[in-house]
Amino acid sequence: MKVLLTGGSGFIAAHCIDQLLERGHSVIFTVRSDEKGRKILSNHSGVPLDKLNYVIVADIAKSTAFAEAVKSNPPFDAVVHTASPFHLGINDPKDLLDPAINGTVGLLRAVKKSAPSVRRVVITSSFASMMNSAQHPMKYDETSWNPITSQEATLNAANAYRASKTFAEKAAWDFIRNGNPGFDIATINPPLVLGPVVSHLNSLDTINTSNQRLRDMIQGRCKDGLPPSFGVYLWADVRDVALAHVRAAEVSEAGGKRFLIAANTYVSNAHIAGIIRDQFPDLKNQLPMELDSDIPDDVYGYDNSRSTEVLNLEYRDLEECVVDTVKSLLAVGS
Ligand code: NDP
């Protein structure tokens, strides 16, 4: 397949590029600047430009942002849409809502108008679109939706982020229902994504949001006590999340489906810190003495069987994930 991948400079997208190439696909990724595009290409110096190249899409909040990017020769077969802001340093909820919603709808409109060869658009949604933190269901699965309202989205940055993912995913399904395009969609809904970062794009100060807790632990920022896990006790390794995107583009039965991508065990900050303490003795003094899990005894259940059955995922375990992540962070910091 020839795949358009949005947000090529992102944490999850870096692994999508690797796995798309490994599985023989060619990739055009979008980035906001030439500098970022060139950096990514230089990290794949052996790959010819007809296999991997980039186009600039400076701001996905603009409704016509993707008008040109979706046009290509030979044309695209599939699109993987990861670009969306994931940080909590905002001045206004619109800083998250507009790029998430306009970016998703604008992309789908552009594909419908100018890329008739595309059969599947895979969208990185989130467990944030499923989670009901006021009243967790007994078990989360692909029927779960976050009931967050527009008014609640304005209360704080975490709410704005969760709303951005929920409203963008809803808008995508509405587009499919009402717009009658020649393609279908699949959404990937991961919870906390942990895993190795690529060193050419990162510094420890700018590490992606979901790995920041590991960065803070190894830098001794949590010595006096771990922060709470904030109700998100599900996680997945970024390499499994990336493979889920690629398989969702490849497998025809994935069309029209959401996928809860969650590893087979729960996670808390204490679990992560415990693995770091055991596997990296030099970092032991950076961590608090007491490591108590804050996962409640009556924690919600979840069902990840659609991801194993349709996408054939086999989930990595937390120890492998934490060890590889810490190694990658140490490499960035050294
Ligand atoms: P990153 O912050 O690493 O990647 C976000 C990507 O989106 C970057 O390439 C960024 O570009 C791009 N982007 C953000 N805003 C804009 C904009 N206005 N215009 C153009 N590009 C933009 O985050 P992740 O890789 O973690 O996240 C990728 C996706 O996965 C997001 O949709 C996120 O919501 C979702 N997700 C992530 C989870 C996690 O735990 N990491 C969990 C569940 C879902 P630039 O680098 O130039 O800023």
Side-chain angles (χ1 to χ4, degrees), residues 113-132:
K113 184 171 174 211
S114 306
S117 54
V118 169
R119 291 283 162 265
R120 170 79 37 84
V121 179
V122 178
I123 297 171
T124 320
S125 185
S126 174
F127 182 62
S129 307
M130 296 177 156
M131 190 165 96
N132 181 352

PDB file of all heavy atoms in Angstrom, residues 113-132:
ATOM      1  N   LYS A 113     -12.836  14.236  -1.408  1.00  0.00           N
ATOM      2  CA  LYS A 113     -12.832  15.109  -2.587  1.00  0.00           C
ATOM      3  C   LYS A 113     -11.714  14.753  -3.572  1.00  0.00           C
ATOM      4  O   LYS A 113     -11.935  14.704  -4.789  1.00  0.00           O
ATOM      5  CB  LYS A 113     -12.654  16.556  -2.119  1.00  0.00           C
ATOM      6  CG  LYS A 113     -12.739  17.564  -3.216  1.00  0.00           C
ATOM      7  CD  LYS A 113     -12.767  18.978  -2.663  1.00  0.00           C
ATOM      8  CE  LYS A 113     -12.706  19.959  -3.846  1.00  0.00           C
ATOM      9  NZ  LYS A 113     -12.037  21.182  -3.491  1.00  0.00           N
ATOM     10  N   SER A 114     -10.516  14.464  -3.042  1.00  0.00           N
ATOM     11  CA  SER A 114      -9.343  14.444  -3.945  1.00  0.00           C
ATOM     12  C   SER A 114      -8.546  13.153  -3.935  1.00  0.00           C
ATOM     13  O   SER A 114      -7.506  13.077  -4.581  1.00  0.00           O
ATOM     14  CB  SER A 114      -8.397  15.590  -3.567  1.00  0.00           C
ATOM     15  OG  SER A 114      -9.048  16.810  -3.543  1.00  0.00           O
ATOM     16  N   ALA A 115      -8.971  12.143  -3.148  1.00  0.00           N
ATOM     17  CA  ALA A 115      -8.181  10.905  -3.107  1.00  0.00           C
ATOM     18  C   ALA A 115      -9.103   9.687  -3.233  1.00  0.00           C
ATOM     19  O   ALA A 115      -9.238   8.880  -2.307  1.00  0.00           O
ATOM     20  CB  ALA A 115      -7.371  10.835  -1.809  1.00  0.00           C
ATOM     21  N   PRO A 116      -9.740   9.539  -4.408  1.00  0.00           N
ATOM     22  CA  PRO A 116     -10.755   8.492  -4.547  1.00  0.00           C
ATOM     23  C   PRO A 116     -10.202   7.074  -4.451  1.00  0.00           C
ATOM     24  O   PRO A 116     -10.967   6.130  -4.268  1.00  0.00           O
ATOM     25  CB  PRO A 116     -11.343   8.757  -5.942  1.00  0.00           C
ATOM     26  CG  PRO A 116     -10.314   9.565  -6.653  1.00  0.00           C
ATOM     27  CD  PRO A 116      -9.584  10.355  -5.617  1.00  0.00           C
ATOM     28  N   SER A 117      -8.874   6.910  -4.541  1.00  0.00           N
ATOM     29  CA  SER A 117      -8.299   5.564  -4.448  1.00  0.00           C
ATOM     30  C   SER A 117      -8.193   5.071  -2.995  1.00  0.00           C
ATOM     31  O   SER A 117      -7.957   3.883  -2.757  1.00  0.00           O
ATOM     32  CB  SER A 117      -6.899   5.564  -5.075  1.00  0.00           C
ATOM     33  OG  SER A 117      -6.134   6.584  -4.458  1.00  0.00           O
ATOM     34  N   VAL A 118      -8.355   5.969  -2.019  1.00  0.00           N
ATOM     35  CA  VAL A 118      -8.225   5.566  -0.604  1.00  0.00           C
ATOM     36  C   VAL A 118      -9.422   4.718  -0.200  1.00  0.00           C
ATOM     37  O   VAL A 118     -10.573   5.099  -0.402  1.00  0.00           O
ATOM     38  CB  VAL A 118      -8.099   6.814   0.306  1.00  0.00           C
ATOM     39  CG1 VAL A 118      -8.233   6.431   1.783  1.00  0.00           C
ATOM     40  CG2 VAL A 118      -6.766   7.509   0.065  1.00  0.00           C
ATOM     41  N   ARG A 119      -9.118   3.553   0.402  1.00  0.00           N
ATOM     42  CA  ARG A 119     -10.188   2.633   0.827  1.00  0.00           C
ATOM     43  C   ARG A 119     -10.396   2.650   2.341  1.00  0.00           C
ATOM     44  O   ARG A 119     -11.433   2.239   2.835  1.00  0.00           O
ATOM     45  CB  ARG A 119      -9.849   1.200   0.392  1.00  0.00           C
ATOM     46  CG  ARG A 119      -9.916   0.993  -1.093  1.00  0.00           C
ATOM     47  CD  ARG A 119     -11.389   0.867  -1.562  1.00  0.00           C
ATOM     48  NE  ARG A 119     -11.526   1.092  -2.990  1.00  0.00           N
ATOM     49  CZ  ARG A 119     -11.841   2.263  -3.542  1.00  0.00           C
ATOM     50  NH1 ARG A 119     -12.089   3.323  -2.803  1.00  0.00           N
ATOM     51  NH2 ARG A 119     -11.946   2.402  -4.847  1.00  0.00           N
ATOM     52  N   ARG A 120      -9.347   3.053   3.072  1.00  0.00           N
ATOM     53  CA  ARG A 120      -9.426   2.986   4.554  1.00  0.00           C
ATOM     54  C   ARG A 120      -8.686   4.173   5.160  1.00  0.00           C
ATOM     55  O   ARG A 120      -7.558   4.489   4.740  1.00  0.00           O
ATOM     56  CB  ARG A 120      -8.749   1.680   5.000  1.00  0.00           C
ATOM     57  CG  ARG A 120      -8.501   1.483   6.489  1.00  0.00           C
ATOM     58  CD  ARG A 120      -9.730   1.057   7.289  1.00  0.00           C
ATOM     59  NE  ARG A 120     -10.630   0.136   6.630  1.00  0.00           N
ATOM     60  CZ  ARG A 120     -10.493  -1.210   6.598  1.00  0.00           C
ATOM     61  NH1 ARG A 120      -9.494  -1.787   7.221  1.00  0.00           N
ATOM     62  NH2 ARG A 120     -11.389  -1.952   5.968  1.00  0.00           N
ATOM     63  N   VAL A 121      -9.321   4.814   6.144  1.00  0.00           N
ATOM     64  CA  VAL A 121      -8.640   5.826   6.958  1.00  0.00           C
ATOM     65  C   VAL A 121      -8.627   5.315   8.396  1.00  0.00           C
ATOM     66  O   VAL A 121      -9.686   5.027   8.967  1.00  0.00           O
ATOM     67  CB  VAL A 121      -9.354   7.200   6.879  1.00  0.00           C
ATOM     68  CG1 VAL A 121      -8.628   8.218   7.761  1.00  0.00           C
ATOM     69  CG2 VAL A 121      -9.420   7.699   5.436  1.00  0.00           C
ATOM     70  N   VAL A 122      -7.431   5.159   8.937  1.00  0.00           N
ATOM     71  CA  VAL A 122      -7.279   4.711  10.335  1.00  0.00           C
ATOM     72  C   VAL A 122      -7.021   5.952  11.176  1.00  0.00           C
ATOM     73  O   VAL A 122      -6.123   6.742  10.866  1.00  0.00           O
ATOM     74  CB  VAL A 122      -6.093   3.730  10.469  1.00  0.00           C
ATOM     75  CG1 VAL A 122      -5.920   3.302  11.925  1.00  0.00           C
ATOM     76  CG2 VAL A 122      -6.302   2.510   9.572  1.00  0.00           C
ATOM     77  N   ILE A 123      -7.808   6.125  12.207  1.00  0.00           N
ATOM     78  CA  ILE A 123      -7.723   7.349  13.020  1.00  0.00           C
ATOM     79  C   ILE A 123      -7.264   6.996  14.428  1.00  0.00           C
ATOM     80  O   ILE A 123      -7.826   6.101  15.070  1.00  0.00           O
ATOM     81  CB  ILE A 123      -9.110   8.044  13.081  1.00  0.00           C
ATOM     82  CG1 ILE A 123      -9.532   8.477  11.667  1.00  0.00           C
ATOM     83  CG2 ILE A 123      -9.083   9.237  14.033  1.00  0.00           C
ATOM     84  CD1 ILE A 123     -10.960   8.979  11.568  1.00  0.00           C
ATOM     85  N   THR A 124      -6.226   7.703  14.917  1.00  0.00           N
ATOM     86  CA  THR A 124      -5.805   7.512  16.311  1.00  0.00           C
ATOM     87  C   THR A 124      -6.776   8.258  17.195  1.00  0.00           C
ATOM     88  O   THR A 124      -6.714   9.480  17.313  1.00  0.00           O
ATOM     89  CB  THR A 124      -4.389   8.082  16.573  1.00  0.00           C
ATOM     90  OG1 THR A 124      -3.565   7.791  15.462  1.00  0.00           O
ATOM     91  CG2 THR A 124      -3.810   7.476  17.845  1.00  0.00           C
ATOM     92  N   SER A 125      -7.704   7.517  17.772  1.00  0.00           N
ATOM     93  CA  SER A 125      -8.563   8.128  18.778  1.00  0.00           C
ATOM     94  C   SER A 125      -7.908   7.853  20.124  1.00  0.00           C
ATOM     95  O   SER A 125      -6.670   7.943  20.229  1.00  0.00           O
ATOM     96  CB  SER A 125      -9.981   7.571  18.671  1.00  0.00           C
ATOM     97  OG  SER A 125     -10.817   8.253  19.573  1.00  0.00           O
ATOM     98  N   SER A 126      -8.636   7.459  21.124  1.00  0.00           N
ATOM     99  CA  SER A 126      -8.027   7.289  22.452  1.00  0.00           C
ATOM    100  C   SER A 126      -9.010   6.580  23.373  1.00  0.00           C
ATOM    101  O   SER A 126     -10.223   6.631  23.159  1.00  0.00           O
ATOM    102  CB  SER A 126      -7.700   8.669  23.028  1.00  0.00           C
ATOM    103  OG  SER A 126      -7.243   8.579  24.353  1.00  0.00           O
ATOM    104  N   PHE A 127      -8.471   5.998  24.434  1.00  0.00           N
ATOM    105  CA  PHE A 127      -9.320   5.521  25.523  1.00  0.00           C
ATOM    106  C   PHE A 127     -10.052   6.713  26.160  1.00  0.00           C
ATOM    107  O   PHE A 127     -11.107   6.545  26.763  1.00  0.00           O
ATOM    108  CB  PHE A 127      -8.449   4.791  26.554  1.00  0.00           C
ATOM    109  CG  PHE A 127      -9.219   4.200  27.698  1.00  0.00           C
ATOM    110  CD1 PHE A 127     -10.177   3.226  27.504  1.00  0.00           C
ATOM    111  CD2 PHE A 127      -8.957   4.610  29.005  1.00  0.00           C
ATOM    112  CE1 PHE A 127     -10.889   2.675  28.571  1.00  0.00           C
ATOM    113  CE2 PHE A 127      -9.652   4.063  30.084  1.00  0.00           C
ATOM    114  CZ  PHE A 127     -10.614   3.101  29.862  1.00  0.00           C
ATOM    115  N   ALA A 128      -9.483   7.923  25.974  1.00  0.00           N
ATOM    116  CA  ALA A 128     -10.152   9.129  26.471  1.00  0.00           C
ATOM    117  C   ALA A 128     -11.545   9.278  25.864  1.00  0.00           C
ATOM    118  O   ALA A 128     -12.434   9.875  26.482  1.00  0.00           O
ATOM    119  CB  ALA A 128      -9.314  10.363  26.143  1.00  0.00           C
ATOM    120  N   SER A 129     -11.766   8.734  24.680  1.00  0.00           N
ATOM    121  CA  SER A 129     -13.094   8.796  24.046  1.00  0.00           C
ATOM    122  C   SER A 129     -14.037   7.734  24.596  1.00  0.00           C
ATOM    123  O   SER A 129     -15.215   7.714  24.257  1.00  0.00           O
ATOM    124  CB  SER A 129     -12.993   8.566  22.534  1.00  0.00           C
ATOM    125  OG  SER A 129     -12.077   9.418  21.963  1.00  0.00           O
ATOM    126  N   MET A 130     -13.481   6.827  25.404  1.00  0.00           N
ATOM    127  CA  MET A 130     -14.287   5.735  25.963  1.00  0.00           C
ATOM    128  C   MET A 130     -14.526   5.903  27.458  1.00  0.00           C
ATOM    129  O   MET A 130     -15.516   5.436  28.006  1.00  0.00           O
ATOM    130  CB  MET A 130     -13.559   4.404  25.759  1.00  0.00           C
ATOM    131  CG  MET A 130     -13.370   4.014  24.310  1.00  0.00           C
ATOM    132  SD  MET A 130     -12.427   2.473  24.181  1.00  0.00           S
ATOM    133  CE  MET A 130     -12.953   1.890  22.573  1.00  0.00           C
ATOM    134  N   MET A 131     -13.570   6.570  28.139  1.00  0.00           N
ATOM    135  CA  MET A 131     -13.566   6.546  29.606  1.00  0.00           C
ATOM    136  C   MET A 131     -14.639   7.459  30.203  1.00  0.00           C
ATOM    137  O   MET A 131     -14.754   8.614  29.816  1.00  0.00           O
ATOM    138  CB  MET A 131     -12.191   6.969  30.119  1.00  0.00           C
ATOM    139  CG  MET A 131     -12.039   6.730  31.587  1.00  0.00           C
ATOM    140  SD  MET A 131     -10.326   6.821  32.109  1.00  0.00           S
ATOM    141  CE  MET A 131     -10.233   8.466  32.674  1.00  0.00           C
ATOM    142  N   ASN A 132     -15.386   6.933  31.148  1.00  0.00           N
ATOM    143  CA  ASN A 132     -16.356   7.723  31.904  1.00  0.00           C
ATOM    144  C   ASN A 132     -15.823   7.802  33.330  1.00  0.00           C
ATOM    145  O   ASN A 132     -16.093   6.929  34.152  1.00  0.00           O
ATOM    146  CB  ASN A 132     -17.722   7.036  31.854  1.00  0.00           C
ATOM    147  CG  ASN A 132     -18.777   7.820  32.603  1.00  0.00           C
ATOM    148  OD1 ASN A 132     -18.464   8.795  33.288  1.00  0.00           O
ATOM    149  ND2 ASN A 132     -20.021   7.393  32.461  1.00  0.00           N
TER     150      ASN A 132
END
